[in-house]
Structures are given as structure tokens and as C-alpha cells.
Amino acid sequence: MDLTLTKEEEDFRARLRAWLHDTLPRLPPEPPADDWPARRAHDCAWQRALHDAGYAGLHWPAHAGGQGATPTEYLMFIEETERAGAPYVGANFVGLLHAGPTIAAEGTAGQRARWLPPILRGDEIWCQGFSEPDAGSDLASLRTRAVRDGDSYIVTGSKIWTSHAEVADWCELLVRTDPAAPRHRGISWLALPMNAPGVTVRPLRTLAGTTEFAEVFLDDVRVPVTHRVGPENDGWRVTMVTLSYERGTAFAGEVVACRRTLTRLARTARANGRWDDPVLRRRLGRLHAEFTALWRLVQWNTCEAAHAARTGGQGAPGAGASVFKLRYSQARQELYEAAAEVLGPESLDTRHEWTVQRLSSLSYTIAAGTSQIQRNIIAERILGLPRGQ
């Protein structure tokens, strides 16, 4: 990992800071958390602004329509946008950080040309259709069926916890195309148009009061075979590419945001008198060390992926993504538990930003692969321990 800044990278940071300084004051206010159509419009407008300024898909390879930036430039972009208080990817999350990189790595030239430019411009939103009511942590037990009928698959089944389904145009969908094959070998990865006949979306309200997840019901939905990414029945391998991005680099911006929240926590504790508590000070100090280490791990994973791409690999994060995801999930929960301690009785007010984040943080040890799954991956693929029976 070499993060020594070149003259070009220093110039990149200066240009980005200047652009953020000029652009952010002109942005409209962020819509209410529960108004997803308005949030989609807001997030897509921000993505279009990034696109027009040359910052969309910064770390994507040039053949996928990206900027082919260095790992250092990409990490600079994350740091500078978070520190400036720029909008997060929001509704563009799945397309920009999961589906798009997967299509760039595994899709055909035609698929990249069809789906990647609209993602980068903010014209189309994607959702993720992986989990099912009986296939969450054990994702390979999914039952949604896709039966080949000529040039189409007929898809029947249901998905749950489908991120941003109510405002999405497309869904990265896992289906079982060979029920007789071993569990991991009969799965395919499809791009599902959300306006197809037979698709029903039912939003789910979370503990934090928002509806970024939904149930999706699929009743004899026709999906063209040309919408399959990767070979038929090879979807588990393609999915591992998706999940490596989800666990490895998709949370990078959130690490910077957590570090900023930690600074605000210390400032609030000084203001309300809780800073005198030495136990709290030690707790915040340890969290500072945790998030500093997590940021270094983000840098490591990003550089490792870039090196793999240069040497003929996919450019997807490796098993180190699970190390990051495992520790980040717990650290985020600990951060907002500390926030509750700083706030005192005010932490019971569900209108407070940190209270909402505390409720949301409870899902992080489940989302994007449970902590138990991450421990298994680390044990088997990094430590070389025998597979559990």
C-alpha cells in the first residue's frame, strides 16, 4: 500500500475542494427521510452533478465508463465529500456500489453499455433482491425460481429487505435456475426491470421509521436471458463479487462520517459537562483508534483491489472485506451507544439524528452478511481453518 501523494493527486484534491466549495451552497435542502420519491430525485440530481463535473464512477475502470482514478484519488474523494458535508449516494447506493461494479467486472460489453452509463448519470436506480424470508444468512438456500422459456426466464418467488425497491428501475436479482444442482451451483444473477408485469413491491417500515427496504413478490415475471450477468448457474460466483464490493468498499464513506460524528460527540460532551467522566473519555479515545484503524483497512482493501486489477484480476476486494465488515458493524454500534451516553435522557427522542442512527446501527451486524458469516469467511479463507461440519 503506497499512499504517498503525487503532484497530480495534490492537484486533484485542490480541484475537488474548490468544486465542492462552489457547488454545495447551491444545493436544495435534503428531503424528509420518509419521502423516498423526493429523496430519489435529490440523490439523482447530486449524482448528475458529479457526472457532469467528472467525478462519477471515479474508481471505476475506463472500459466501464469510469474515470480510472488511482486508489488515493478515490479515497481523497470520499474524505473530501464527507468532510464537506456533501450528499451521500442515497438511493444510488446499490447501483453505484454493488450492481455497477459487478456488471463492470462480469458483464458483457453490451450489458456494460446498457446499464452503466445510466447508473453513472443518476438516470436509473437499482435495488438488491438477494435475501428471502427463508434465505437470509444462508443465502444459498434461496427458492425464487427462474425457468427457461425460449429467450426468457419465467421468475416466481419473493424477496425481502430489498433495498430501495419502491423507487428502483432495476433489481440485481438472485434466482435458482437449476433446482437439481448443489445449492451453490444452481443460482443465476439477473437484472430485473422493476416495471415488468408480475412485480409487486410492498414497502417495509424499519425500526428507525423509514421505508428503504421492501418485500418484492414475483409472479411469473418474464426476464430476457440477455439480462443474465455471467453464465447460467454461475450466479453464486458472481454474487461473491457483488458481496465483496458491498462489504469491502461500499461502507468507506460511512467510516469517514463516523469519524466526523465522533468529533461532534467529543464537542457535545465538553459542552454538556459529560467530558469530566474519565470512563467516557477513554471510550471515545478507543473509538477514535478503532475508526482510524478501519480507515487504514479501507485504504488497504482499495489498494489491494487496484493491484489485482493491474495484474489481471477482477479488481474486487478480497477476503479482507470481511475483516472490515465484521469490525465496522460492531464499531458503529459502539459509536452510537456512546452517543446515547453523551446525550443522556435526550437520547430517548427519536427525532434526534444520533438516536435514529443508533436504531439503524442495530442492523449492521446482519446487513451485507451477518457477523457469523464474516467470521466463517475469515476463518476459512484467511486463517486456513477447516470448514465447519
Side-chain angles (χ1 to χ4, degrees):
M1 181 172 71
D2 182 5
L3 297 176
T4 304
L5 299 185
T6 66
K7 174 64 165 55
E8 291 75 14
E9 288 166 342
E10 292 280 15
D11 291 344
F12 170 82
R13 187 195 294 273
R15 290 195 306 273
L16 176 59
R17 283 182 174 175
W19 181 78
L20 290 169
H21 181 269
D22 292 340
T23 303
L24 293 182
R26 300 197 299 267
L27 294 183
E30 187 172 321
D34 58 351
D35 188 346
W36 272 103
R39 290 185 65 178
R40 171 189 164 127
H42 180 271
D43 296 341
C44 288
W46 172 243
Q47 183 59 31
R48 186 58 188 245
L50 291 173
H51 176 272
D52 292 347
Y55 295 115
L58 198 64
H59 63 305
W60 286 21
H63 76 265
Q67 306 298 321
T70 67
T72 301
E73 288 172 339
Y74 173 55
L75 296 172
M76 278 183 180
F77 173 81
I78 292 173
E79 285 185 304
E80 294 300 329
T81 52
E82 284 292 342
R83 287 172 177 168
Y88 189 51
V89 291
N92 291 302
F93 184 86
V94 175
L96 284 168
L97 304 179
H98 302 175
T102 302
I103 294 167
E106 296 288 337
T108 65
Q111 289 171 339
R112 293 195 298 267
R114 166 58 188 89
W115 287 314
L116 299 185
I119 291 175
L120 293 175
R121 291 193 302 264
D123 293 341
E124 293 180 344
I125 297 296
W126 285 65
C127 62
Q128 186 180 80
F130 283 12
S131 297
E132 298 179 4
D134 295 317
S137 299
D138 185 15
L139 184 58
S141 65
L142 65 90
R143 297 180 182 178
T144 295
R145 292 281 303 276
V147 178
R148 184 75 175 262
D149 181 29
D151 294 334
S152 298
Y153 291 106
I154 299 178
V155 181
T156 303
S158 67
K159 297 291 179 176
I160 198 167
W161 310 122
T162 308
S163 307
H164 306 314
E166 63 180 299
V167 293
D169 303 291
W170 293 90
C171 177
E172 52 174 3
L173 183 72
L174 290 188
V175 295
R176 188 162 296 285
T177 42
D178 185 355
R183 294 191 321 154
H184 295 84
R185 297 182 182 175
I187 294 171
S188 297
W189 196 107
L190 303 180
L192 166 73
M194 291 299 287
N195 62 355
V199 177
T200 302
V201 176
R202 183 183 299 166
L204 295 168
R205 189 164 296 279
T206 69
L207 183 65
T210 62
T211 56
E212 65 263 32
F213 299 118
E215 294 179 283
V216 176
F217 300 93
L218 306 161
D219 185 14
D220 293 337
V221 180
R222 283 191 170 270
V223 180
V225 173
T226 54
H227 288 190
R228 187 189 67 232
V229 175
E232 185 171 277
N233 299 325
D234 195 31
W236 186 257
R237 182 189 61 79
V238 178
T239 301
M240 292 304 99
V241 175
T242 305
L243 294 179
S244 70
Y245 284 110
E246 184 177 25
R247 296 164 183 168
T249 55
F251 291 119
E254 295 191 27
V255 174
V256 180
C258 286
R259 294 172 73 183
R260 190 172 69 238
T261 296
L262 188 58
T263 300
R264 292 171 58 200
L265 270 181
R267 188 181 304 123
T268 301
R270 288 188 177 94
N272 66 14
R274 296 182 185 275
W275 189 251
D276 295 335
D277 182 350
V279 175
L280 176 63
R281 292 201 305 271
R282 283 196 298 270
R283 187 175 190 179
L284 295 182
R286 184 181 58 79
L287 283 168
H288 174 75
E290 286 271 6
F291 283 106
T292 298
L294 281 167
W295 182 245
R296 294 291 179 252
L297 190 53
V298 167
Q299 293 173 314
W300 175 273
N301 286 336
T302 302
C303 291
E304 181 187 46
H307 175 72
R310 289 194 301 269
T311 55
Q314 290 177 322
S322 290
V323 177
F324 170 82
K325 171 59 173 59
L326 177 64
R327 190 53 213 156
Y328 173 70
S329 299
Q330 189 62 43
R332 185 182 179 91
Q333 291 180 357
E334 292 173 5
L335 171 67
Y336 287 104
E337 287 171 4
E341 185 176 345
V342 169
L343 289 175
E346 191 180 352
S347 67
L348 300 176
D349 185 351
T350 56
R351 294 169 297 180
H352 197 289
E353 170 196 356
W354 291 342
T355 303
V356 173
Q357 291 290 350
R358 186 187 185 196
L359 295 175
S360 175
S361 74
L362 299 176
S363 69
Y364 276 66
T365 47
I366 300 173
T370 67
S371 292
Q372 290 85 349
I373 293 293
Q374 308 308 330
R375 291 188 180 98
N376 283 344
I377 293 172
I378 293 166
E380 294 170 13
R381 301 183 192 175
I382 296 179
L383 302 179
L385 299 179
R387 188 178 181 85
Q389 301 298 321

